């Protein structure tokens, strides 16, 4: 769930911003996600902090911090490094992806090395991919700059290869609201305990953007996605504010 929620971060003004979302399922709070991001300029950085809340702590107690840094090249993100660390159900998970001058990712850290039997990811399919945070930030920047949804990217998180396709929701939306549908389809690295056809079924995510105040970044006010265990999950923007730049 957390990598997909990266869509919540869209390009901001030069100063850093912080957005806070509460995640609900069946009307109950299950998680809080906080994003800090600075995405305009020659480089970008984005960090997500997620922790379970309420009844979810009985089944999926944990928290996770993920961060990506990189630069922009012709409007597309060029990641430099992606790190993620979390503890879910008492199991520590760590990932570090490092990108060479050619943009190809190298898996520097992956703990546990094999979390479950998965379909193989062909080595030939990895070049040209991005970490999930960078890929979805790139999609969000496209939405901001063009006021359209139609774009796509491929993501690799060290285990799974995913294709992201974004299109405008065919359901009518009241202007100036923009509703984008993101389909995330696992191409390789899916769990072998699931039927292959089922595993390749795309996850559908709806992101709804509303009008924004002058000088404010365009972040979704609401994100809705399906879950195998929780049914429909909804993320609602609760707070958006500028942060003071870090000083040394």
């Amino acid at each position: 769930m957390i990598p997909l929620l990266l869509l919540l971060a869209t390009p901001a003004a030069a100063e850093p911003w912080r957005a806070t979302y509460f995640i609900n399922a069946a009307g109950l709070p299950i998680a809080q996600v906080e994003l800090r991001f600075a995405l305009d300029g020659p480089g970008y950085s984005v960090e997500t902090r997620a922790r379970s809340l309420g009844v979810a702590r009985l089944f999926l107690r944990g928290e996770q911090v993920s961060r990506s840094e990189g630069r922009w090249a012709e409007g597309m993100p060029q990641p430099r490094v992606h790190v993620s660390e979390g503890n879910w159900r008492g199991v520590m998970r760590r990932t570090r992806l490092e990108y060479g001058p050619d943009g190809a990712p190298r898996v520097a850290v992956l703990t546990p090395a094999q979390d479950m039997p998965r379909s193989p990811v062909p080595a030939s399919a990895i070049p040209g991919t991005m970490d999930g945070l960078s890929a979805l930030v790139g999609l969000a920047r496209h939405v901001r700059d063009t006021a359209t949804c139609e774009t796509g990217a491929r993501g690799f998180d060290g285990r799974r290869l995913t294709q992201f396709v974004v299109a405008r929701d065919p359901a009518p939306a009241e202007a100036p609201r923009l509703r984008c549908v993101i389909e995330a389809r696992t191409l390789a690295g899916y769990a072998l305990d699931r039927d292959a056809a089922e595993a390749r079924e795309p996850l559908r995510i709806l992101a709804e953007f509303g009008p924004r105040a002058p000088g404010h970044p365009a972040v979704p006010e609401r994100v809705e996605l399906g879950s195998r265990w929780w049914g429909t999950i909804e993320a609602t923007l609760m707070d958006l504010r500028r942060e003071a730049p870090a000083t040394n």
Side-chain angles (χ1 to χ4, degrees):
M1 180 179 71
I2 300 307
L4 296 174
L5 290 179
L6 178 18
L7 178 66
L8 303 179
T10 58
E15 58 270 304
W17 288 79
R18 181 180 68 188
T20 303
Y21 289 81
F22 278 96
I23 318 300
N24 292 276
L28 298 174
I30 63 170
Q32 176 181 319
V33 178
E34 186 176 86
L35 300 101
R36 290 182 169 88
F37 51 94
L39 304 178
D40 268 353
Y44 67 89
S45 66
V46 57
E47 179 181 281
T48 65
R49 293 178 176 267
R51 61 185 180 91
S52 56
L53 297 174
V55 67
R57 294 172 65 87
L58 300 176
F59 307 99
L60 190 64
R61 184 182 181 90
E63 56 187 13
Q64 180 170 322
V65 178
S66 300
R67 182 177 178 84
S68 291
E69 296 178 356
R71 64 184 182 89
W72 298 104
E74 299 181 353
M76 294 297 293
Q78 300 291 319
R80 182 184 66 83
V81 63
H82 167 78
V83 294
S84 179
E85 181 172 308
N87 190 318
W88 297 99
R89 295 175 178 167
V91 177
M92 179 61 69
R93 303 174 69 91
R94 295 187 178 93
T95 301
R96 181 180 177 90
L97 303 177
E98 299 174 348
Y99 295 80
D102 61 352
R106 180 180 73 89
V107 181
V109 176
L110 191 63
T111 305
Q114 183 174 0
D115 59 346
M116 64 182 67
R118 296 180 178 274
S119 67
V121 177
S124 60
I126 296 176
T129 61
M130 309 175 193
D131 66 271
L133 289 179
S134 295
L136 295 180
V137 161
L139 299 183
R141 178 162 177 164
H142 172 85
V143 171
R144 183 202 67 173
D145 291 349
T146 68
T148 64
C149 302
E150 287 69 23
T151 186
R154 281 194 307 151
F156 177 64
D157 65 359
R159 303 182 191 276
R160 293 175 296 270
L161 182 71
T162 304
Q163 181 73 46
F164 298 100
V165 177
V166 187
R168 188 162 189 158
D169 184 11
E174 183 179 348
R177 308 189 76 80
L178 179 66
R179 290 160 56 96
C180 296
V181 175
I182 303 95
E183 287 192 350
R185 185 186 300 271
T186 302
L187 304 177
Y190 53 82
L192 292 178
D193 65 352
R194 297 182 62 187
D195 176 76
E198 178 190 0
R200 291 192 178 97
E201 280 294 312
L203 175 64
R204 183 182 185 274
I205 307 163
L206 174 67
E208 183 173 323
F209 298 82
R212 57 192 176 100
H216 281 222
V219 298
E221 295 178 355
R222 188 175 69 90
V223 175
E224 183 180 289
L225 64 150
S227 167
R228 186 182 180 189
W229 304 111
W230 295 93
T232 300
I233 295 176
E234 184 174 339
T236 304
L237 177 66
M238 303 302 294
D239 184 58
L240 175 66
R241 64 181 64 191
R242 289 183 177 90
E243 290 217 309
T247 57
N248 294 327

